[in-house]
Amino acid sequence: MNKLERRGKLNNYVCMCTNIKDFTLINQRMSSQVGDLVLRNYAVTIEQNLEKDERIARVGGDNFMILVQKQRIEEFLQFIEKVSVTVEYENVAQILQLESRCGLYAIQEGDSVGVILDAAHLALSQAKHSSAADYIWYETNMLEQAYDRRTLLTEYGNALKQHEFLVCYQPKVNIFTNTLCGCEALVRWQKEDGLVPPFRFIPALEEEGRITELDFYVFEQICKDIRSWLDKGITPVRISSNFSKLHLQNPEFANTILKIVDRYQIESEYLEIELTESSGYEDFKALTDFVRIMNEHEIYVSIDDFGTGYSSLSLLKDLNVDVVKLDKSFIDEIGTGDIMNENLVKNVVHMIKDLNRHVICEGVETSVQADFLRDLDCHMVQGYLYDKPLPHAKFEERLIHPNYEVG
Ligand code: C2E
Ligand code: CA
Ligand code: CA
């Protein structure tokens, strides 16, 4: 790049930063030796498809930087969509079709190499967040957002110490009796200049590996709240809390939960752990071990956002979870005339019940949706039709008056 820069030719190229999809799976399922071979073969295969002035370099892990001529970038993107590599695994040659995520930056005249690499990296990190697109071109506001992220991370540590994180509780409602039957704890960041919604900080904290501290903080707050309700003579309901899949890499995950439960002397009937559906695929053993320990302690485990991401029916069969939360996107289409979707919801609800799991539908906003779900014999729902996430005091009123008029 330095050479091209000196010749004033760098702006004829696109700099792309790539990352192999599901590479951790290859490492885990086929060993890290096979993983090494995959990396090598991926790079070699790409290199064979480069022109002589183009370059590929490994920048760490499964991330590569590639410099490609602007005039053939479309053709190159088509090629990189699926890169086939052959590796030997258990004495058999296996062909793997590798897909990549790419951050792309069209180099401008006068850009320094540092700026170019940063821009491609940033675009890649956006591609990792986006479920819709695997290729993302750098846009000017990305740099600003990244600075936001740096500020966010410095503020975060202090915010935890200063107790700036609040826990709201969103009721779950039994739609046959129209009564409160549980709730989900959802975190809010109360900053001096206002309330920050989770989507502004949770994905960033997750990406930086910092979310786990917050999850335990929230969980401890829930246990404190349950304890104080019990001490006041108010009967709580089962409260579910969100735990990022990052926890599964921590061998002390289950133990830390149990220690907190023990500290506040909370009965398991008040507790539920929500894990996102994709959790299973990164480390199935850690997931099954975790669920088993929770089962032994009779703490419920639920699969969140079921039906999105890495949908898998075998997950339902192989994992002894107590509750499945059907994602809002399916509920949204109820009553809009989308018969296919309604049939899907109907059959998925029946299947979950047949497998002896509880089912809850998220994001119920209209009585048409509630009626439809009632007809399916689905008891539990959560959504704005009944309540938004409520601050502590409001939720306490709900515990005391658990009946709903609507529905
Ligand atoms: P989620 O776990 O899927 O939580 C449900 C989200 O849907 C909540 O958004 C809730 O307010 C919203 N919602 C519920 N009913 C309705 C409805 O009828 N209509 C609409 N439009 N939305 C509804 P919220 O509170 O903004 O949370 C967003 C996400 O942030 C959560 O999605 C969860 O993934 C994450 N999150 C929140 N708290 C925590 C936490 O303590 N730890 C972790 N790891 N993630 C958290
Ligand atoms: Ca959730
Ligand atoms: Ca959810």
Side-chain angles (χ1 to χ4, degrees):
M1 286 176 80
N2 285 331
K3 221 182 256 172
L4 288 165
E5 191 186 16
R6 280 196 298 275
R7 287 196 218 132
K9 288 197 169 154
L10 202 48
N11 60 340
N12 294 336
Y13 296 83
V14 170
C15 179
M16 54 194 286
C17 189
T18 72
N19 168 270
I20 305 175
K21 275 193 183 174
D22 298 328
F23 181 69
T24 26
L25 279 185
I26 298 173
N27 261 339
Q28 276 165 3
R29 293 210 178 135
M30 303 171 89
S31 83
S32 55
Q33 283 86 343
V34 175
D36 287 350
L37 266 180
V38 168
L39 289 177
R40 206 165 292 146
N41 291 354
Y42 174 81
V44 168
T45 312
I46 291 177
E47 194 169 39
Q48 284 163 352
N49 277 273
L50 293 181
E51 299 290 320
K52 70 176 189 321
D53 56 333
E54 297 172 334
R55 288 289 180 280
I56 175 166
R58 175 165 173 239
V59 286
D62 58 334
N63 290 335
F64 293 84
M65 282 285 179
I66 311 174
L67 201 60
V68 181
Q69 296 169 18
K70 278 183 182 168
Q71 58 178 21
R72 61 175 221 103
I73 186 69
E74 290 305 324
E75 162 199 344
F76 186 77
L77 284 176
Q78 267 178 17
F79 152 73
I80 205 171
E81 212 164 90
K82 272 205 174 70
V83 175
S84 310
V85 300
T86 310
V87 285
E88 197 167 293
Y89 175 60
E90 291 175 342
N91 297 324
V92 185
Q94 304 243 3
I95 300 175
L96 303 176
Q97 302 273 8
L98 304 177
E99 292 180 28
S100 311
R101 284 192 190 80
C102 306
L104 297 147
Y105 178 65
I107 301 172
Q108 308 297 307
E109 218 175 315
D111 284 341
S112 72
V113 171
V115 163
I116 295 168
L117 298 180
D118 275 357
H121 256 127
L122 264 174
L124 174 65
S125 71
Q126 297 281 318
K128 285 187 192 167
H129 280 140
S130 158
S131 50
D134 287 335
Y135 303 158
I136 291 201
W137 286 91
Y138 173 85
E139 285 166 24
T140 36
N141 65 352
M142 282 183 186
L143 212 55
E144 274 163 42
Q145 283 174 8
Y147 287 132
D148 273 347
R149 173 173 298 209
R150 241 164 274 162
T151 326
L152 178 136
L153 287 172
T154 33
E155 288 176 354
Y156 172 61
N158 272 331
L160 272 173
K161 284 192 213 112
Q162 309 288 333
H163 303 284
E164 286 178 11
F165 291 100
L166 305 178
V167 181
C168 284
Y169 295 101
Q170 185 177 31
K172 296 175 186 167
V173 181
N174 177 324
I175 49 176
F176 282 86
T177 57
N178 280 335
T179 51
L180 179 74
C181 67
C183 74
E184 175 176 8
L186 293 157
V187 74
R188 299 290 177 264
W189 187 349
Q190 175 76 67
K191 282 218 275 196
E192 264 175 7
D193 48 354
L195 212 59
V196 193
F199 77 88
R200 296 276 312 168
F201 59 94
I202 286 185
L205 292 179
E206 196 151 36
E207 167 122 325
E208 305 288 335
R210 300 283 305 273
I211 186 76
T212 51
E213 302 152 69
L214 181 63
D215 287 344
F216 284 129
Y217 178 90
V218 170
F219 186 68
E220 178 148 11
Q221 189 58 50
I222 297 168
C223 290
K224 278 185 197 164
D225 286 349
I226 295 176
R227 173 59 29 227
S228 82
W229 282 317
L230 286 168
D231 291 347
K232 280 204 250 179
I234 298 172
T235 312
V237 284
R238 190 186 293 280
I239 302 183
S240 62
S241 51
N242 292 285
F243 278 91
S244 155
K245 63 182 174 202
L246 289 181
H247 290 279
L248 292 170
Q249 296 165 14
N250 170 10
E252 285 301 304
F253 178 31
N255 255 337
T256 311
I257 289 183
L258 296 176
K259 271 192 211 145
I260 298 174
V261 173
D262 198 51
R263 189 174 316 142
Y264 295 91
Q265 294 288 303
I266 307 296
E267 315 256 337
S268 57
E269 65 181 297
Y270 298 126
L271 299 170
E272 177 173 331
I273 308 297
E274 290 193 16
L275 295 168
T276 52
E277 195 192 354
S278 55
S279 308
Y281 281 80
E282 310 218 336
D283 189 345
F284 193 67
K285 172 144 192 330
L287 181 66
T288 43
D289 287 350
F290 174 76
V291 174
R292 184 179 39 76
I293 299 173
M294 292 300 113
N295 288 162
E296 281 163 14
H297 288 82
E298 295 175 339
I299 295 175
Y300 269 19
V301 179
S302 50
I303 302 184
D304 201 359
D305 304 334
F306 185 72
T308 64
Y310 296 85
S311 275
S312 161
L313 295 175
S314 62
L315 200 64
L316 278 187
K317 179 170 68 70
D318 299 336
L319 205 61
N320 195 20
V321 294
D322 304 279
V323 184
V324 177
K325 301 191 80 180
L326 195 58
D327 190 64
K328 177 175 182 299
S329 52
F330 298 101
I331 311 307
D332 284 345
E333 302 302 314
I334 295 173
T336 62
D338 184 345
I339 304 299
M340 291 281 265
N341 178 71
E342 287 180 7
N343 281 334
L344 189 92
V345 171
K346 184 170 87 189
N347 286 294
V348 169
V349 166
H350 288 159
M351 180 192 65
I352 298 169
K353 289 166 74 85
D354 281 346
L355 291 168
N356 270 328
R357 317 277 190 235
H358 298 287
V359 56
I360 173 164
C361 293
E362 294 190 275
V364 172
E365 294 182 346
T366 68
S367 48
V368 172
Q369 293 164 347
D371 292 342
F372 179 87
L373 294 170
R374 212 177 283 112
D375 284 345
L376 300 185
D377 210 24
C378 168
H379 284 68
M380 234 191 315
V381 308
Q382 179 182 343
Y384 292 177
L385 175 63
Y386 295 93
D387 266 319
K388 292 196 169 175
L390 305 174
H392 184 98
K394 278 251 162 6
F395 182 67
E396 188 172 305
E397 281 171 34
R398 212 11 117 199
L399 285 173
I400 300 167
H401 304 288
N403 293 315
Y404 287 82
E405 314 257 295
V406 288

